Amino acid sequence: FLEHPAIYTAGTSSNEKDLLKKNTFPVFKTSRGGEYTYHGPGQRIIYIMLNLRERSYDIRRFVNTLESWIVDSLSDLGVESQLIKGKVGVWIDKGGEPEEKIASIGLRVRKGITFHGISLNIDPNLDHFNGIVSCGNKKNGVTSLKKLGIILPKEKIDEILLKNFEKNLQNVIFKKSIKVLLFIDTSRTKKSIIPSSPHCEKILKGMEKTRSLLLTDKSSPEEILEAVQLSKKAFKKAIGVLYKKKKIKLEKDRITLL
């Protein structure tokens, strides 16, 4: 959570014609998606860095989740907002007039990692948006909490944002789930697992039981041990942690719980 000095930023889809006043503020070319926007005092900027690949989460769904997060937060502040099909961001209905944007979303995803994030207009100088065609929306204006009559300390707004962050993004952040395939050898006295790979096909012969398991970040060491993650890298990391804690014994073709 932060605040920028007054600046225009140009996303990867920005058009030079949309920079209406070139000498008003510094212009920074950024790697995020989208077009021109304004950042400055009175905005709450939120940068979000997540590994979407680890969370089996697609980008479109992630953007929708961020939008819902802001809509719920604004609702707690007494502001009714909405999403518009075909347009990114959060909007305020003007009763028959073109909607006004109160929050923008600009992201870049590289190797599954998200960069950049959200800007929410709390009480910025809205005249500063006049130097650009904001986000390429020629017919839509911008608004702020202050313009809507909501005047609160930024700390209170941050508190509401953080509360709804956990509510809306818990499935992304706090309940990371990984589909795994589990092979349990019930013929042995100690629980053990065998990696499900072609190399282990011979070992799998004679096993009495197989079943599936959903592994989460709250799983016990035993549950982690009883699973082979589809991501070999993540599996090796989990096994490494358990080995250092002396909870497992590593053998050539078997991992045994101690």
Side-chain angles (χ1 to χ4, degrees):
F1 285 58
L2 52 91
E3 185 176 271
H4 284 309
I7 189 174
Y8 291 139
T9 64
T12 55
S13 301
S14 60
N15 188 326
E16 189 69 22
K17 294 180 180 179
D18 289 341
L19 180 60
L20 306 178
K21 298 179 181 179
K22 297 184 179 181
N23 299 316
T24 306
F25 299 114
V27 178
F28 182 77
K29 290 187 177 181
T30 177
S31 61
R32 64 161 173 79
E35 304 182 47
Y36 279 101
T37 194
Y38 164 78
H39 292 313
Q43 273 188 339
R44 177 53 79 227
I45 306 296
I46 309 165
Y47 287 127
I48 303 166
M49 295 184 68
L50 291 173
N51 188 328
L52 295 185
R53 288 181 179 176
E54 286 187 355
R55 293 163 172 82
S56 301
Y57 223 73
D58 66 80
I59 298 172
R60 183 63 256 176
R61 186 182 173 195
F62 179 62
V63 171
N64 290 340
T65 301
L66 294 180
E67 292 172 329
S68 296
W69 168 32
I70 300 302
V71 169
D72 286 350
S73 297
L74 290 172
S75 178
D76 285 351
L77 290 166
V79 175
E80 184 177 346
S81 60
Q82 64 183 35
L83 308 179
I84 299 178
K85 186 176 181 180
K87 293 184 178 181
V88 178
V90 180
W91 304 79
I92 303 298
D93 182 61
K94 299 297 293 181
E97 298 179 7
E99 301 87 355
E100 292 182 337
K101 180 180 278 191
I102 193 169
S104 298
I105 297 176
L107 297 173
R108 175 180 173 81
V109 180
R110 186 171 66 225
K111 296 182 178 180
I113 308 297
T114 65
F115 297 88
H116 303 284
I118 294 173
S119 65
L120 172 65
N121 294 334
I122 298 176
D123 60 349
N125 186 337
L126 296 178
D127 290 339
H128 291 170
F129 283 90
N130 294 335
I132 57 173
V133 177
S134 182
C135 301
N137 297 305
K138 296 180 180 180
K139 296 182 179 180
N140 299 94
V142 293
T143 190
S144 66
L145 289 174
K146 182 179 180 179
K147 185 178 177 180
L148 296 171
I150 306 297
I151 301 176
L152 290 171
K154 288 185 174 66
E155 293 76 13
K156 179 62 177 179
I157 296 172
D158 288 347
E159 180 183 322
I160 291 173
L161 285 167
L162 286 170
K163 182 195 73 172
N164 284 290
F165 180 85
E166 181 173 348
K167 171 187 171 183
N168 282 274
L169 282 89
Q170 60 180 342
N171 289 329
V172 186
I173 308 294
F174 304 103
K175 292 185 178 179
K176 179 175 64 174
S177 297
I178 306 168
K179 290 182 179 179
V180 297
L181 187 61
L182 168 65
F183 296 94
I184 302 178
D185 189 345
T186 57
S187 63
R188 294 175 178 264
T189 56
K190 287 188 176 182
K191 283 187 176 181
S192 60
I193 64 165
I194 299 173
S196 56
S197 67
H199 175 71
C200 301
E201 285 182 359
K202 292 183 179 179
I203 303 173
L204 294 176
K205 291 181 179 179
M207 281 198 164
E208 299 176 4
K209 183 180 178 182
T210 64
R211 65 184 177 88
S212 297
L213 175 72
L214 187 64
L215 187 67
T216 75
D217 58 350
K218 294 183 179 179
S219 297
S220 66
E222 288 79 6
E223 289 174 317
I224 295 175
L225 180 62
E226 290 178 344
V228 175
Q229 298 176 221
L230 296 179
S231 168
K232 291 183 179 180
K233 184 177 180 180
F235 175 65
K236 288 180 180 179
K237 183 177 179 180
I239 291 301
V241 170
L242 291 174
Y243 180 70
K244 288 181 180 179
K245 293 182 178 181
K246 297 182 179 180
K247 293 183 178 293
I248 57 174
K249 179 181 179 181
L250 300 179
E251 300 176 46
K252 183 177 180 181
D253 56 10
R254 188 172 296 276
I255 303 169
T256 304
L257 180 65
L258 298 177

